[in-house]
Coordinates of all heavy atoms in Angstrom, one line a residue:
T15 N 0.8 -1.2 0.0 CA 0.0 0.0 0.0 C 0.9 1.2 0.0 O 1.9 1.3 0.7 CB -0.9 0.0 1.2 OG1 -1.7 -1.2 1.3 CG2 -1.8 1.2 1.3
Q16 N 0.5 2.2 -0.8 CA 1.2 3.5 -0.7 C 0.8 4.3 0.5 O -0.4 4.4 0.7 CB 1.0 4.3 -2.0 CG 1.8 3.9 -3.2 CD 1.8 4.9 -4.3 OE1 1.1 5.9 -4.2 NE2 2.6 4.7 -5.3
V17 N 1.7 4.8 1.2 CA 1.4 5.6 2.4 C 2.0 7.0 2.2 O 3.2 7.2 2.4 CB 2.0 4.9 3.7 CG1 1.6 5.7 4.9 CG2 1.5 3.5 3.8
V18 N 1.2 7.9 1.9 CA 1.6 9.3 1.7 C 0.6 10.2 2.4 O -0.5 9.9 2.7 CB 1.6 9.7 0.2 CG1 2.7 8.9 -0.5 CG2 0.3 9.5 -0.5
G19 N 1.1 11.4 2.8 CA 0.3 12.4 3.4 C -0.6 13.1 2.4 O -0.6 12.9 1.2
G20 N -1.5 14.0 2.9 CA -2.4 14.8 2.1 C -1.7 15.6 1.0 O -2.2 15.9 0.0
D21 N -0.4 15.9 1.3 CA 0.4 16.7 0.4 C 1.1 15.9 -0.6 O 1.8 16.4 -1.5 CB 1.3 17.6 1.1 CG 2.3 16.9 2.0 OD1 2.3 15.6 2.0 OD2 3.1 17.5 2.6
G22 N 0.9 14.5 -0.6 CA 1.6 13.6 -1.5 C 3.0 13.2 -1.1 O 3.6 12.4 -1.7
N23 N 3.5 13.8 0.0 CA 4.8 13.4 0.5 C 4.8 12.1 1.3 O 3.8 11.8 2.0 CB 5.5 14.5 1.3 CG 5.8 15.7 0.4 OD1 6.3 15.6 -0.7 ND2 5.6 16.9 1.0
D24 N 5.9 11.4 1.4 CA 6.0 10.2 2.2 C 5.7 10.5 3.7 O 6.3 11.5 4.2 CB 7.4 9.6 2.1 CG 7.7 9.1 0.7 OD1 6.8 9.0 -0.1 OD2 8.9 8.7 0.4
I25 N 4.9 9.7 4.3 CA 4.8 9.8 5.8 C 5.9 9.2 6.4 O 6.4 9.6 7.4 CB 3.4 9.2 6.2 CG1 2.2 10.1 5.7 CG2 3.4 9.1 7.7 CD1 0.9 9.5 6.0
L26 N 6.3 8.0 5.9 CA 7.5 7.3 6.4 C 8.6 7.5 5.4 O 8.7 6.8 4.4 CB 7.2 5.8 6.5 CG 6.0 5.5 7.4 CD1 5.6 4.0 7.3 CD2 6.3 5.8 8.8
P27 N 9.5 8.5 5.6 CA 10.5 8.9 4.6 C 11.3 7.7 4.1 O 11.7 6.8 4.9 CB 11.4 9.8 5.4 CG 10.5 10.5 6.4 CD 9.6 9.3 6.8
G28 N 11.3 7.5 2.8 CA 12.0 6.4 2.2 C 11.2 5.1 2.1 O 11.7 4.1 1.6
R29 N 10.0 5.1 2.6 CA 9.1 3.9 2.5 C 7.8 4.3 2.0 O 6.8 4.3 2.8 CB 9.0 3.3 3.9 CG 10.3 2.6 4.4 CD 10.1 1.9 5.7 NE 9.0 1.0 5.7 CZ 8.4 0.5 6.8 NH1 8.8 0.8 7.9 NH2 7.4 -0.4 6.7
R30 N 7.6 4.5 0.8 CA 6.3 4.8 0.2 C 5.4 3.6 0.2 O 4.2 3.8 0.4 CB 6.5 5.3 -1.3 CG 5.2 5.8 -1.9 CD 5.5 6.6 -3.1 NE 6.0 7.8 -2.8 CZ 5.4 9.0 -3.0 NH1 4.2 9.0 -3.6 NH2 6.0 10.1 -2.7
Q31 N 5.9 2.4 0.2 CA 5.2 1.2 0.3 C 5.3 0.6 1.6 O 6.5 0.4 2.1 CB 5.6 0.2 -0.8 CG 5.4 0.6 -2.2 CD 4.0 0.5 -2.7 OE1 3.3 -0.3 -2.2 NE2 3.6 1.4 -3.6
T32 N 4.3 0.2 2.3 CA 4.3 -0.4 3.6 C 3.0 -1.1 3.9 O 2.0 -0.9 3.3 CB 4.7 0.6 4.7 OG1 4.9 -0.1 5.9 CG2 3.6 1.6 4.9
G33 N 3.1 -2.0 4.9 CA 1.8 -2.6 5.4 C 1.0 -1.6 6.2 O 1.6 -0.7 6.8
V34 N -0.3 -1.7 6.2 CA -1.1 -0.8 7.0 C -2.0 -1.6 7.9 O -2.6 -2.6 7.4 CB -1.9 0.1 6.0 CG1 -2.9 1.0 6.8 CG2 -1.0 0.9 5.1
A35 N -2.1 -1.3 9.1 CA -3.0 -1.9 10.1 C -4.0 -0.8 10.5 O -5.1 -0.7 9.9 CB -2.2 -2.5 11.2
G36 N -3.6 0.0 11.4 CA -4.4 1.1 11.8 C -5.9 1.0 11.9 O -6.4 0.2 12.7
K37 N -6.6 1.7 11.1 CA -8.1 1.8 11.2 C -8.7 0.4 11.0 O -9.7 0.1 11.5 CB -8.6 2.7 10.1 CG -8.4 4.1 10.4 CD -9.6 4.8 11.0 CE -9.4 6.3 11.1 NZ -10.3 6.9 12.0
V38 N -8.0 -0.5 10.2 CA -8.5 -1.8 10.0 C -8.6 -2.6 11.3 O -9.6 -3.3 11.5 CB -7.6 -2.6 9.1 CG1 -8.0 -4.0 8.9 CG2 -7.5 -1.9 7.7
D39 N -7.7 -2.3 12.2 CA -7.7 -3.0 13.5 C -8.6 -2.3 14.6 O -8.9 -2.9 15.6 CB -6.3 -3.1 14.1 CG -5.4 -3.9 13.2 OD1 -5.9 -4.8 12.6 OD2 -4.2 -3.7 13.3
R40 N -9.0 -1.1 14.4 CA -9.7 -0.3 15.4 C -11.0 -1.0 15.9 O -11.1 -1.1 17.1 CB -10.0 1.1 14.9 CG -10.5 1.9 16.1 CD -10.8 3.3 15.7 NE -11.9 3.3 14.7 CZ -12.1 4.3 13.9 NH1 -11.4 5.3 13.9 NH2 -13.1 4.2 13.0
D41 N -11.8 -1.4 15.1 CA -13.1 -1.9 15.5 C -12.9 -3.2 16.4 O -13.5 -3.3 17.4 CB -14.0 -2.3 14.3 CG -14.5 -1.0 13.6 OD1 -14.5 0.1 14.2 OD2 -15.0 -1.2 12.5
L42 N -12.0 -4.1 15.9 CA -11.7 -5.3 16.7 C -11.1 -4.9 18.1 O -11.4 -5.5 19.1 CB -10.8 -6.2 15.9 CG -10.5 -7.5 16.6 CD1 -11.8 -8.3 16.8 CD2 -9.6 -8.3 15.6
A43 N -10.2 -4.0 18.0 CA -9.5 -3.6 19.3 C -10.5 -3.0 20.3 O -10.5 -3.3 21.5 CB -8.4 -2.5 19.0
L44 N -11.4 -2.2 19.8 CA -12.5 -1.6 20.6 C -13.4 -2.6 21.3 O -13.7 -2.6 22.4 CB -13.3 -0.5 19.9 CG -12.6 0.8 19.6 CD1 -13.4 1.6 18.6 CD2 -12.3 1.6 20.8
Q45 N -13.7 -3.7 20.5 CA -14.5 -4.8 21.0 C -13.8 -5.5 22.1 O -14.3 -5.8 23.2 CB -14.8 -5.8 19.9 CG -15.8 -5.3 18.9 CD -16.0 -6.2 17.7 OE1 -15.5 -7.3 17.7 NE2 -16.7 -5.8 16.7
H46 N -12.5 -5.7 22.0 CA -11.7 -6.4 23.0 C -11.5 -5.5 24.2 O -11.5 -6.1 25.3 CB -10.3 -6.8 22.4 CG -10.4 -8.0 21.5 ND1 -9.5 -8.2 20.5 CD2 -11.3 -9.0 21.4 CE1 -9.8 -9.3 19.9 NE2 -10.9 -9.8 20.4
I47 N -11.4 -4.2 24.1 CA -11.3 -3.4 25.2 C -12.6 -3.4 26.0 O -12.6 -3.4 27.2 CB -10.9 -1.9 24.8 CG1 -9.5 -1.9 24.3 CG2 -11.1 -0.9 25.9 CD1 -9.1 -0.7 23.5
E48 N -13.7 -3.3 25.3 CA -15.0 -3.4 26.0 C -15.1 -4.7 26.8 O -15.6 -4.7 27.9 CB -16.1 -3.2 25.0 CG -16.3 -1.8 24.4 CD -17.2 -1.7 23.3 OE1 -17.8 -2.7 22.8 OE2 -17.5 -0.6 22.8
W49 N -14.7 -5.8 26.1 CA -14.8 -7.1 26.8 C -13.9 -7.1 28.1 O -14.3 -7.5 29.1 CB -14.4 -8.2 25.8 CG -14.2 -9.5 26.5 CD1 -15.2 -10.4 26.9 CD2 -12.9 -10.1 26.8 NE1 -14.6 -11.5 27.5 CE2 -13.2 -11.3 27.5 CE3 -11.6 -9.7 26.7 CZ2 -12.2 -12.2 27.9 CZ3 -10.6 -10.5 27.2 CH2 -10.9 -11.8 27.8
A50 N -12.7 -6.6 27.9 CA -11.8 -6.6 29.1 C -12.3 -5.7 30.2 O -12.1 -6.1 31.4 CB -10.4 -6.1 28.6
A51 N -12.9 -4.6 29.8 CA -13.5 -3.7 30.9 C -14.7 -4.4 31.6 O -14.8 -4.2 32.8 CB -13.9 -2.4 30.2
Q52 N -15.5 -5.1 30.8 CA -16.6 -5.8 31.4 C -16.1 -6.9 32.4 O -16.6 -7.1 33.5 CB -17.5 -6.5 30.3 CG -18.3 -5.5 29.6 CD -19.0 -6.2 28.4 OE1 -18.8 -7.4 28.1 NE2 -19.8 -5.4 27.7
V53 N -15.1 -7.7 32.0 CA -14.5 -8.7 32.8 C -14.0 -8.1 34.1 O -14.2 -8.5 35.2 CB -13.4 -9.5 32.1 CG1 -12.7 -10.4 33.1 CG2 -14.1 -10.3 31.0
R54 N -13.2 -7.0 33.9 CA -12.7 -6.3 35.1 C -13.7 -5.9 36.1 O -13.6 -6.1 37.3 CB -11.9 -5.1 34.6 CG -11.3 -4.2 35.7 CD -10.4 -3.1 35.1 NE -11.2 -2.2 34.3 CZ -10.7 -1.2 33.6 NH1 -9.4 -1.0 33.6 NH2 -11.4 -0.4 32.8
E55 N -14.8 -5.3 35.6 CA -15.9 -4.9 36.4 C -16.7 -6.0 37.1 O -16.9 -6.1 38.3 CB -16.9 -4.0 35.6 CG -18.2 -3.6 36.3 CD -17.8 -2.5 37.4 OE1 -16.8 -1.8 37.2 OE2 -18.6 -2.4 38.3
Q56 N -17.0 -7.0 36.3 CA -17.8 -8.2 36.8 C -17.0 -9.0 37.9 O -17.6 -9.5 38.8 CB -18.2 -9.1 35.7 CG -19.2 -8.6 34.7 CD -19.4 -9.4 33.5 OE1 -18.6 -10.3 33.2 NE2 -20.4 -9.0 32.7
E57 N -15.7 -9.1 37.7 CA -14.9 -9.9 38.6 C -14.2 -9.1 39.7 O -13.5 -9.6 40.5 CB -13.8 -10.6 37.8 CG -14.3 -11.6 36.7 CD -15.1 -12.7 37.3 OE1 -14.8 -13.2 38.4 OE2 -16.1 -13.2 36.6
G58 N -14.4 -7.8 39.6 CA -13.9 -6.9 40.7 C -12.3 -6.9 40.6 O -11.7 -6.8 41.6
L59 N -11.8 -7.0 39.4 CA -10.4 -7.0 39.2 C -9.8 -5.6 39.1 O -10.5 -4.7 38.9 CB -10.0 -7.8 38.0 CG -10.5 -9.3 38.0 CD1 -10.3 -9.9 36.7 CD2 -9.8 -10.1 39.1
H60 N -8.5 -5.5 39.4 CA -7.8 -4.2 39.3 C -6.6 -4.3 38.4 O -5.6 -4.8 38.7 CB -7.3 -3.8 40.7 CG -8.5 -3.8 41.7 ND1 -9.3 -2.7 41.8 CD2 -8.8 -4.6 42.7 CE1 -10.2 -3.0 42.7 NE2 -9.9 -4.1 43.3
Y61 N -6.9 -3.9 37.1 CA -5.8 -3.9 36.1 C -6.1 -2.7 35.2 O -7.3 -2.3 35.0 CB -5.6 -5.2 35.4 CG -6.9 -5.7 34.7 CD1 -7.2 -5.3 33.4 CD2 -7.6 -6.7 35.2 CE1 -8.4 -5.8 32.8 CE2 -8.7 -7.3 34.6 CZ -9.1 -6.8 33.4 OH -10.2 -7.3 32.7
Q62 N -5.1 -2.2 34.6 CA -5.3 -1.2 33.6 C -5.4 -1.8 32.2 O -4.7 -2.8 31.9 CB -4.2 -0.2 33.7 CG -4.2 0.7 34.9 CD -3.3 1.8 34.9 OE1 -2.2 1.7 34.3 NE2 -3.7 2.9 35.5
I63 N -6.2 -1.2 31.4 CA -6.3 -1.6 30.0 C -5.6 -0.5 29.1 O -5.9 0.7 29.2 CB -7.8 -1.7 29.6 CG1 -8.5 -2.8 30.5 CG2 -7.9 -2.1 28.1 CD1 -10.0 -2.8 30.4
I64 N -4.7 -1.0 28.2 CA -4.0 -0.1 27.3 C -4.6 -0.5 25.9 O -4.6 -1.6 25.5 CB -2.5 -0.4 27.4 CG1 -2.0 -0.1 28.8 CG2 -1.8 0.5 26.4 CD1 -0.6 -0.6 29.0
G65 N -5.0 0.6 25.2 CA -5.6 0.3 23.9 C -4.9 1.1 22.8 O -4.3 2.2 23.1
G66 N -4.9 0.6 21.6 CA -4.3 1.3 20.5 C -4.7 0.6 19.2 O -5.2 -0.5 19.2
G67 N -4.4 1.3 18.1 CA -4.7 0.8 16.8 C -5.7 1.6 16.0 O -6.8 1.8 16.5
G68 N -5.3 2.2 14.9 CA -6.2 3.0 14.1 C -6.5 4.4 14.7 O -7.5 5.0 14.3
I69 N -5.7 4.9 15.5 CA -5.9 6.2 16.1 C -5.3 7.3 15.2 O -4.0 7.3 15.1 CB -5.3 6.2 17.6 CG1 -6.0 5.2 18.4 CG2 -5.4 7.7 18.1 CD1 -5.4 5.0 19.8
V70 N -6.1 8.0 14.6 CA -5.6 9.1 13.7 C -6.1 10.5 14.1 O -5.6 11.5 13.6 CB -6.0 8.8 12.2 CG1 -5.4 7.5 11.8 CG2 -7.5 8.8 12.0
D71 N -7.1 10.6 15.0 CA -7.5 11.9 15.4 C -7.9 11.8 16.9 O -8.0 10.7 17.5 CB -8.6 12.5 14.6 CG -9.8 11.6 14.5 OD1 -10.2 10.9 15.5 OD2 -10.4 11.5 13.4
L72 N -8.2 13.0 17.5 CA -8.5 13.0 18.9 C -9.8 12.3 19.3 O -9.9 11.7 20.3 CB -8.6 14.5 19.4 CG -7.4 15.4 19.1 CD1 -7.6 16.8 19.7 CD2 -6.1 14.7 19.6
A73 N -10.8 12.2 18.4 CA -12.0 11.5 18.6 C -11.7 10.0 18.8 O -12.4 9.3 19.5 CB -13.0 11.7 17.5
D74 N -10.7 9.5 18.1 CA -10.4 8.1 18.2 C -9.9 7.8 19.6 O -10.2 6.8 20.2 CB -9.3 7.7 17.2 CG -9.8 7.7 15.8 OD1 -11.0 7.4 15.6 OD2 -8.9 7.9 14.9
V75 N -9.1 8.7 20.2 CA -8.6 8.5 21.6 C -9.8 8.5 22.5 O -9.9 7.6 23.4 CB -7.7 9.7 22.0 CG1 -7.3 9.5 23.4 CG2 -6.5 9.7 21.1
D76 N -10.8 9.4 22.3 CA -12.0 9.3 23.1 C -12.8 8.0 23.0 O -13.3 7.5 24.0 CB -12.9 10.5 22.7 CG -12.4 11.9 23.2 OD1 -11.6 11.9 24.2 OD2 -12.7 12.9 22.5
S77 N -12.8 7.5 21.8 CA -13.5 6.2 21.6 C -12.8 5.1 22.4 O -13.5 4.3 23.0 CB -13.4 5.8 20.1 OG -14.2 6.7 19.3
Y78 N -11.5 5.0 22.4 CA -10.8 4.0 23.2 C -11.1 4.2 24.7 O -11.3 3.3 25.5 CB -9.3 4.1 22.9 CG -8.9 3.2 21.7 CD1 -9.1 3.7 20.5 CD2 -8.5 1.9 21.9 CE1 -8.8 3.0 19.4 CE2 -8.2 1.2 20.8 CZ -8.3 1.7 19.5 OH -8.0 0.9 18.4
R79 N -11.1 5.5 25.2 CA -11.3 5.8 26.6 C -12.8 5.4 26.9 O -13.0 4.8 28.0 CB -11.0 7.3 26.9 CG -9.6 7.7 26.6 CD -8.6 7.4 27.6 NE -9.0 8.2 28.8 CZ -8.7 7.9 30.0 NH1 -8.0 6.9 30.3 NH2 -9.1 8.6 31.0
S80 N -13.7 5.7 26.1 CA -15.1 5.4 26.3 C -15.3 3.9 26.4 O -16.2 3.4 27.1 CB -16.0 6.0 25.3 OG -16.0 7.4 25.3
A81 N -14.5 3.1 25.6 CA -14.7 1.7 25.6 C -14.1 1.0 26.8 O -14.4 -0.1 27.1 CB -14.0 1.1 24.4
G82 N -13.3 1.8 27.6 CA -12.8 1.3 28.8 C -11.2 1.3 29.0 O -10.7 0.9 30.0
A83 N -10.6 1.8 28.0 CA -9.1 1.9 28.1 C -8.7 3.0 29.1 O -9.2 4.1 29.0 CB -8.5 2.2 26.7
D84 N -7.8 2.6 29.9 CA -7.2 3.6 30.9 C -6.1 4.4 30.2 O -5.9 5.5 30.6 CB -6.6 2.8 32.1 CG -7.7 2.0 32.8 OD1 -8.6 2.6 33.4 OD2 -7.7 0.8 32.7
L85 N -5.4 3.7 29.3 CA -4.3 4.4 28.6 C -4.5 4.1 27.1 O -5.0 3.0 26.8 CB -2.9 3.8 29.1 CG -2.6 3.9 30.6 CD1 -1.4 3.1 30.9 CD2 -2.4 5.4 31.0
V86 N -4.0 5.0 26.3 CA -4.1 4.9 24.9 C -2.8 5.1 24.3 O -2.1 6.2 24.6 CB -5.2 5.8 24.3 CG1 -5.3 5.7 22.8 CG2 -6.6 5.6 24.9
F87 N -2.3 4.2 23.4 CA -1.0 4.5 22.7 C -1.2 4.8 21.3 O -2.1 4.2 20.6 CB 0.0 3.3 23.0 CG -0.4 2.1 22.2 CD1 0.1 1.9 20.9 CD2 -1.1 1.1 22.8 CE1 -0.2 0.7 20.2 CE2 -1.4 -0.1 22.1 CZ -1.0 -0.2 20.8
V88 N -0.4 5.6 20.8 CA -0.5 6.0 19.4 C 0.9 5.6 18.8 O 1.9 6.0 19.3 CB -0.7 7.5 19.2 CG1 -0.7 7.9 17.7 CG2 -2.0 7.9 19.8
A89 N 0.9 4.9 17.7 CA 2.1 4.5 17.1 C 2.4 5.2 15.8 O 3.0 6.3 15.8 CB 2.1 3.0 16.9
A90 N 1.9 4.7 14.7 CA 2.2 5.3 13.4 C 1.7 6.7 13.2 O 2.5 7.5 12.6 CB 1.5 4.4 12.3
N91 N 0.6 7.1 13.8 CA 0.2 8.5 13.6 C 1.1 9.5 14.3 O 1.1 10.6 14.0 CB -1.3 8.7 14.1 CG -1.9 10.0 13.6 OD1 -1.9 10.2 12.4 ND2 -2.3 10.8 14.5
A92 N 1.9 9.0 15.3 CA 2.8 9.9 16.0 C 3.9 10.4 15.0 O 4.4 11.5 15.1 CB 3.5 9.2 17.1
L93 N 4.1 9.7 13.9 CA 5.0 10.1 12.9 C 4.4 11.2 12.0 O 5.1 12.2 11.7 CB 5.4 9.0 11.9 CG 6.2 7.8 12.6 CD1 6.3 6.7 11.6 CD2 7.5 8.3 13.1
A94 N 3.1 11.2 11.8 CA 2.4 12.2 11.0 C 2.1 13.4 11.8 O 2.0 14.5 11.4 CB 1.1 11.6 10.4
N95 N 1.8 13.2 13.1 CA 1.4 14.3 14.0 C 2.1 14.1 15.4 O 1.4 13.6 16.3 CB -0.1 14.4 14.2 CG -0.5 15.6 15.1 OD1 0.3 16.4 15.5 ND2 -1.8 15.6 15.4
P96 N 3.3 14.5 15.5 CA 4.0 14.2 16.8 C 3.4 15.1 18.0 O 3.8 14.8 19.1 CB 5.5 14.6 16.5 CG 5.4 15.4 15.3 CD 4.2 15.0 14.5
L97 N 2.6 16.0 17.7 CA 1.9 16.8 18.7 C 0.6 16.3 19.2 O -0.1 17.0 19.9 CB 1.8 18.3 18.3 CG 3.2 19.0 18.0 CD1 2.9 20.4 17.4 CD2 4.0 19.0 19.2
M98 N 0.2 15.2 18.7 CA -1.2 14.7 19.0 C -1.5 14.6 20.5 O -2.5 15.0 21.0 CB -1.4 13.3 18.3 CG -2.8 12.8 18.5 SD -3.0 11.3 17.6 CE -4.8 11.1 17.8
A99 N -0.5 14.0 21.3 CA -0.8 13.9 22.7 C -0.9 15.3 23.4 O -1.8 15.5 24.2 CB 0.4 13.1 23.4
Y100 N -0.1 16.2 22.9 CA -0.2 17.6 23.4 C -1.6 18.2 23.1 O -2.3 18.8 23.9 CB 0.9 18.4 22.9 CG 0.8 19.9 23.2 CD1 1.1 20.4 24.5 CD2 0.4 20.8 22.2 CE1 1.0 21.7 24.8 CE2 0.3 22.2 22.5 CZ 0.6 22.6 23.8 OH 0.5 23.9 24.1
E101 N -2.0 18.0 21.8 CA -3.3 18.5 21.4 C -4.4 17.9 22.2 O -5.4 18.6 22.5 CB -3.5 18.3 19.9 CG -2.5 19.1 19.0 CD -2.5 18.6 17.6 OE1 -3.2 17.6 17.2 OE2 -1.8 19.3 16.8
Y102 N -4.3 16.6 22.4 CA -5.4 16.0 23.2 C -5.4 16.6 24.6 O -6.5 16.9 25.1 CB -5.1 14.5 23.3 CG -6.2 13.7 24.0 CD1 -7.4 13.4 23.3 CD2 -6.2 13.4 25.3 CE1 -8.4 12.7 23.9 CE2 -7.2 12.8 26.0 CZ -8.4 12.4 25.2 OH -9.4 11.8 25.9
R103 N -4.3 16.7 25.2 CA -4.2 17.2 26.6 C -4.8 18.7 26.7 O -5.6 19.0 27.6 CB -2.8 17.3 27.1 CG -2.5 17.8 28.4 CD -3.1 17.0 29.5 NE -2.8 17.5 30.8 CZ -2.6 16.9 31.8 NH1 -2.7 15.6 31.8 NH2 -2.4 17.5 33.0
I104 N -4.5 19.5 25.7 CA -5.0 20.9 25.7 C -6.5 20.9 25.5 O -7.2 21.6 26.1 CB -4.3 21.7 24.6 CG1 -2.8 21.9 24.9 CG2 -5.0 23.0 24.4 CD1 -2.5 22.6 26.2
S105 N -7.0 20.0 24.6 CA -8.4 20.0 24.2 C -9.3 19.4 25.4 O -10.5 19.7 25.4 CB -8.7 19.2 22.9 OG -8.5 17.9 23.1
H106 N -8.6 18.7 26.3 CA -9.4 18.1 27.4 C -9.1 18.6 28.7 O -9.4 18.1 29.8 CB -9.2 16.5 27.3 CG -9.8 15.9 26.2 ND1 -9.4 16.0 24.9 CD2 -10.9 15.1 26.2 CE1 -10.2 15.3 24.1 NE2 -11.2 14.8 24.8
S107 N -8.3 19.7 28.8 CA -8.0 20.3 30.1 C -9.2 21.2 30.5 O -10.0 21.7 29.8 CB -6.8 21.2 30.0 OG -6.9 22.3 29.1
V108 N -9.3 21.3 31.8 CA -10.5 22.0 32.4 C -10.1 23.4 32.6 O -9.1 23.9 32.8 CB -10.8 21.4 33.8 CG1 -11.9 22.1 34.5 CG2 -11.2 19.9 33.6

């Protein structure tokens, strides 16, 4: 798959062709996070859920948090937008 930004430039310099997971994995990941959160609640367990996959904008982070993730990690999109965590923090500060 070709991976380029909106301006046509390589997102991954020197690697125009690469495998893509991201959004393809998001729905499945969200289902698993919801399941893990239900088990945690039903069994009275104490563990943190870390979610990721397909996160390309701030609304995606909110989806993971709403599904039950305590922490959200961003991988590939951090290359395209290294300020995403900062933007999320600013947009969600009181």
Side-chain angles (χ1 to χ4, degrees):
T15 303
Q16 280 197 355
V17 182
V18 295
D21 59 2
N23 291 321
D24 294 347
I25 291 175
L26 304 170
R29 285 185 58 195
R30 187 166 286 248
Q31 297 283 331
T32 187
V34 177
K37 290 263 188 196
V38 176
D39 295 332
R40 187 181 62 202
D41 291 341
L42 185 59
L44 287 169
Q45 290 173 8
H46 285 153
I47 290 167
E48 290 171 353
W49 170 77
Q52 288 172 355
V53 169
R54 178 175 61 186
E55 177 70 24
Q56 290 170 352
E57 301 296 327
L59 301 172
H60 302 283
Y61 56 82
Q62 291 190 325
I63 300 169
I64 302 171
I69 298 170
V70 297
D71 57 36
L72 302 183
D74 292 331
V75 177
D76 289 332
S77 294
Y78 275 83
R79 300 277 297 156
S80 294
D84 300 292
L85 304 167
V86 178
F87 72 89
V88 177
N91 196 57
L93 298 171
N95 182 6
L97 297 176
M98 185 176 186
Y100 173 76
E101 293 168 357
Y102 185 84
R103 177 69 179 210
I104 295 299
S105 71
H106 288 72
S107 63
V108 176

